[in-house]
Amino acid sequence: MTFSLPKPLLPLLLLGLLPGPAALAQKKRPVPTAATASPADIEQRINALLGQMTLEEKVGQLNQYSGREVTGPASDRKSTLLSSIRAGQVGSMLNVKGVRDTHEIQAVALESRLHIPLLFSLDVIHGYQTTFPIPLGEAASWDLDAIRLGARVAAREAAASGIHWTFAPMVDVGRDPRWGRVMEGAGEDPYLGSQIARARVLGFQGEKLGGTDAIMACAKHFAAYGAAIAGRDYNAVDISEQQLWETYLPPFRAAAEAGVATFMNSFNTLNGIPATGNAYLQRDILKGQWQYPGFVVSDWGSIGEMTNWGYAADKADAAQKAITAGSDMDMESDAYHKSLAQLVQAGKVNISLVDDAVRRILRKKFELGLFDDPYRFSDAKREQQVLADPQNRAAARQMARKSLVLLKNESATLPLAKTLRRVAVIGPLAKAKRDLNGSWAVDTDTTRITSLYDGLRQRAGKATELLYARGCALSGDSRAGFEQAVATAKNADLIVLAVGEAWDMSGEAKSRTDIHLPGVQEELFKALKATGKPVVAVVFGGRPLIFDAVSEQADAILYAWWPGSEGGTALADVLYGDYNPAGKLPITFPRSVGQLPMAYNQQYSTGRPVTKPGETRYKSAYIDSPNTPRYAFGYGLSYTTFTYSDLKISRAAMTSGEAVQVSFTLTNTGKLAGEEVAQLYLRDPVASIARPLKELKDFRKVSLKPGESKTVTFTLDKSKLAFYNSKLEWAAEPGKFNILVGSASDAIRLEGTLELLP
């Protein structure tokens, strides 16, 4: 692996706006001690510094600007940005990366009167130089240790490149795959999402802030962004308080309890009030009930956008409402810079609100050790060593393997037989590289990305000939490549068809009304299937897609998400059986867009339930489609088989102060070693408010050799029986509960009952 320093994002030295290397060296400070200082010492230093700051300097700490135009509309401050930094009017920069650039711009900040260092932030969503699978793909692993390691590797690389802070993890519960940002989260379930939120926070930050191999995490988007109406980005959200607390807040609470350094508010309104100006979310819940000590940053321009919502008259009004509601840092809207000091001077904003926001931001700078050595994250030697570490790619390969979900495998088509002489690798994504890194990829150097074709080529060996044809483009209606693809397929023993979305078809501002395979890709599949050759479909995407013909007719289907830098290698590992797939879906795959949203835990019995297939007259059912999804939450196959048996519940009834063990025997009944994600669901059949048909309460990922059995045990206590009632009280109501254990939300293998006594 070769390494080269990234090109400067701002040609500051050329403009004569930065000191040269000699001056920078003079500003170098000793190795820090503040990163290990006690909280009391840090608070004392914050008090001393705050006492020296003017109102304008305080407001300066609340402003964040971008060094380049990547994640939102362009700022009009580019020409004056350096002078603003030098004047102490900027507290943080985003989209500045690399030791050279962060060192140079930090030097400008240290020319300010009080020498307060900048925070450098970046959207390190699923990797820095080494790109891991998209977060939704990682969630499909149901492997918390692997997810934590992925965040850890990303943090090490980013921290070695001068970054202090990432805008991740996104912990929004996403129930509607029309919303492109489902790719950034952990799917539709609040319990699974909470466990993954904690793992990612601990991965990014380590056990404590201050190490140069870790960065600050940011829980986003607070709150309920995943419930945007019709899956349309930046749209309104209108949900009940009970749904807010039960479904959308738990992953944020888990992130806060894991010590996440920052929160980011969301673009949506929540029941009519923009989240950025929502005091209920930020003051009452986050900083009030949860006693959250970190700070809140707006999303890009979201303070100023409150005027577009019609919630603020102008930017000054928006600034007043945002700071009052609890938004501490203004990302790119320039509202605080232009208006906040005047609002304080006019008596419209209490200075205590500004002081509180500044304290929260300074606290993180002290905890990172930046006041002792502002350049401690900008070490060129460490940058080169960390980015060249081969263990990073090894971790990405392992994570990509774990993320893959086997959706279908008729007649044991997979793993690929070693006797295959010719394999046709066909499809618009067969040789794709950039697409495998997906949306929100920091590094897009295709020389560091392994395609599916390249992965298969490296693994197949000399005995197998790989044939290739593109067949069609990802979008458009041209069928010009069909003839060559069919001819190629006829000369092969088996077809590996690579279809799906391009990297920029899912992500922020990528909402879609039609989530079918784009273009004529399914037509290409039908043409290839007509040859009579077995077809293994590898489907890439950032969200659940609809692929009817492929689902019904392919011999095998492997859902690859966007698997990252090592995606092609990992796919070859799984296709050839070097790794037995164990991924499970963290989000429901619908049969049609008309079913959306259809998360498993949104399903209720209703007053007229469908109790028998086909008996749908005057029932809660569609007349043109089954109610069931194409692939359910928790679903995923293996190359081996598992049986569940001998369910035991340690007691038939429990009081609110007791706990019950639910155990069963899991056996690998196949011929290959494999992993199974055993899932525990619960149903409260009679309650003060109608409850879902099932809710995930726990899971275990168990590794078993052929013929091996293990006892799997879950613990149920009052907290897992509780829910938010109509009065928003967290309570477990006495009564009987159904205990459901299975391999997926629609594949319950064992059932029992438990009674909670009064």
Side-chain angles (χ1 to χ4, degrees), residues 57-390:
E57 287 169 331
K58 291 176 180 178
V59 172
Q61 288 301 299
L62 312 186
N63 299 317
Q64 182 183 66
Y65 298 106
S66 177
R68 57 189 171 99
E69 301 166 16
V70 172
T71 60
S75 168
D76 61 0
R77 289 184 48 81
K78 296 298 186 288
S79 62
T80 59
L81 188 53
L82 291 176
S83 60
S84 294
I85 295 172
R86 191 174 288 112
Q89 296 174 354
V90 180
S92 174
M93 294 287 293
L94 71 156
N95 296 325
V96 178
K97 62 176 182 173
V99 163
R100 178 177 175 178
D101 292 338
T102 56
H103 197 294
E104 290 173 351
I105 296 177
Q106 191 71 281
V108 178
L110 297 180
E111 294 178 14
S112 62
R113 186 179 73 91
L114 295 175
H115 315 298
I116 300 176
L118 293 169
L119 285 172
F120 291 108
S121 55
L122 190 70
D123 286 288
V124 183
I125 306 300
H126 54 113
Y128 184 74
Q129 177 177 279
T130 305
T131 307
F132 284 70
I134 59 171
L136 188 61
E138 288 190 341
S141 73
W142 294 56
D143 191 320
L144 301 178
D145 289 339
I147 291 169
R148 181 170 175 173
L149 177 61
R152 185 67 174 161
V153 171
R156 285 186 67 242
E157 290 190 349
S161 301
I163 302 301
H164 308 137
W165 178 22
T166 177
F167 299 129
M170 190 192 91
V171 301
D172 295 304
V173 170
R175 290 174 158 182
D176 191 335
R178 292 175 297 180
W179 187 50
R181 299 196 80 163
V182 293
M183 58 81 54
E184 289 183 60
E188 69 189 37
D189 184 75
Y191 179 80
L192 177 62
S194 296
Q195 302 305 306
I196 292 175
R198 182 180 184 277
R200 286 186 171 139
V201 168
L202 294 176
F204 282 127
Q205 296 187 171
E207 295 298 331
K208 181 181 179 181
L209 288 179
T212 54
D213 59 350
I215 54 179
M216 296 198 307
C218 181
K220 67 181 188 183
H221 306 83
F222 198 61
Y225 196 20
I229 294 172
R232 204 176 79 225
D233 224 342
Y234 317 119
N235 204 5
V237 168
D238 194 347
I239 58 174
S240 69
E241 286 283 292
Q242 192 266 346
Q243 279 295 302
L244 173 68
W245 281 90
E246 186 166 286
T247 301
Y248 294 98
L249 290 184
F252 288 100
R253 182 69 177 268
E257 291 175 348
V260 70
T262 64
F263 266 58
M264 177 185 288
N265 52 45
S266 52
F267 286 116
N268 55 278
T269 55
L270 177 61
N271 301 332
I273 300 176
T276 309
N278 197 311
Y280 175 60
L281 287 175
Q282 297 172 99
R283 293 286 182 200
D284 297 349
I285 297 174
L286 182 62
K287 296 178 178 179
Q289 294 183 41
W290 296 355
Q291 292 294 294
Y292 178 65
F295 72 86
V296 179
V297 62
S298 78
D299 209 336
W300 185 294
S302 67
I303 293 178
E305 288 175 12
M306 288 197 290
T307 61
N308 295 340
W309 279 108
Y311 185 74
D314 50 33
K315 276 195 175 182
D317 189 28
Q320 179 179 344
K321 288 177 175 174
I323 194 70
T324 303
S327 291
D328 300 308
M329 182 176 283
D330 176 4
M331 182 196 293
E332 274 290 316
S333 74
D334 213 25
Y336 285 178
H337 171 73
K338 290 184 176 179
S339 305
L340 197 49
Q342 294 91 326
L343 289 167
V344 172
Q345 291 164 348
K348 295 182 177 181
V349 169
N350 194 308
I351 186 61
S352 65
L353 298 180
V354 175
D355 285 348
D356 177 64
V358 175
R359 282 180 183 277
R360 291 170 181 269
I361 293 165
L362 292 178
R363 186 175 297 123
K364 296 309 171 188
K365 293 184 178 184
F366 275 111
E367 289 174 358
L368 288 170
L370 296 178
F371 280 95
D372 296 284
D373 182 2
Y375 305 112
R376 63 193 307 260
F377 287 81
S378 300
D379 183 321
K381 183 178 180 180
R382 183 171 69 238
E383 180 179 42
Q384 187 169 2
Q385 290 174 338
V386 171
L387 296 183
D389 188 346

Side-chain angles (χ1 to χ4, degrees), residues 408-411 413 525 529 533-536 553-557:
K408 187 178 183 181
N409 194 23
E410 297 292 325
S411 303
T413 302
F525 164 77
K529 184 63 179 175
K533 302 297 175 73
V535 180
V536 175
Q553 301 173 33
D555 296 275
I557 305 171

Side-chain angles (χ1 to χ4, degrees), residues 736-758:
K736 290 188 176 181
F737 293 81
N738 300 135
I739 309 299
L740 312 169
V741 175
S743 60
S745 62
D746 68 341
I748 301 303
R749 309 299 188 194
L750 302 169
E751 297 188 37
T753 59
L754 171 68
E755 184 176 5
L756 178 65
L757 300 173

Side-chain angles (χ1 to χ4, degrees), residues 490-511:
K490 288 180 177 179
N491 286 326
D493 301 318
L494 177 142
I495 304 160
V496 175
L497 176 64
V499 294
E501 291 185 308
W503 70 269
D504 58 354
M505 289 181 178
S506 283
E508 183 175 356
K510 298 295 187 296
S511 300

Side-chain angles (χ1 to χ4, degrees), residues 131-143 146-147 395-409 414-416 435-437 450-452 455-456 496-499 536-542 547 556-587 589 631 634-639 674-677 701:
T131 307
F132 284 70
I134 59 171
L136 188 61
E138 288 190 341
S141 73
W142 294 56
D143 191 320
I147 291 169
R397 179 177 181 175
Q398 182 71 343
M399 186 73 254
R401 289 166 156 183
K402 290 174 178 288
S403 73
L404 303 175
V405 183
L406 183 63
L407 297 179
K408 187 178 183 181
N409 194 23
L414 293 175
L416 297 177
D435 295 298
L436 268 62
N437 270 8
T450 305
S451 71
L452 170 62
L456 290 172
V496 175
L497 176 64
V499 294
V536 175
V538 178
V539 184
F540 296 89
F547 37 94
I557 305 171
L558 192 62
Y559 209 81
W561 313 101
W562 286 321
S565 306
E566 287 290 312
T569 310
L571 281 163
D573 291 339
V574 169
L575 290 170
Y576 272 99
D578 300 328
Y579 186 88
N580 191 348
K584 301 277 189 176
L585 296 179
I587 187 170
F589 278 48
Y631 302 109
Y635 174 80
L637 303 176
S638 169
Y639 293 154
E675 294 176 296
E676 171 72 335
V677 179
K701 193 167 190 177

Side-chain angles (χ1 to χ4, degrees), residues 643-650 661-667 709-713 741 749-752:
T643 60
Y644 293 67
S645 63
D646 197 23
L647 178 68
K648 295 179 180 178
I649 302 173
S650 62
Q661 279 67 51
V662 177
S663 63
F664 62 95
T665 301
L666 183 67
T667 303
S709 295
K710 286 183 180 178
T711 298
V712 180
T713 302
V741 175
R749 309 299 188 194
L750 302 169
E751 297 188 37

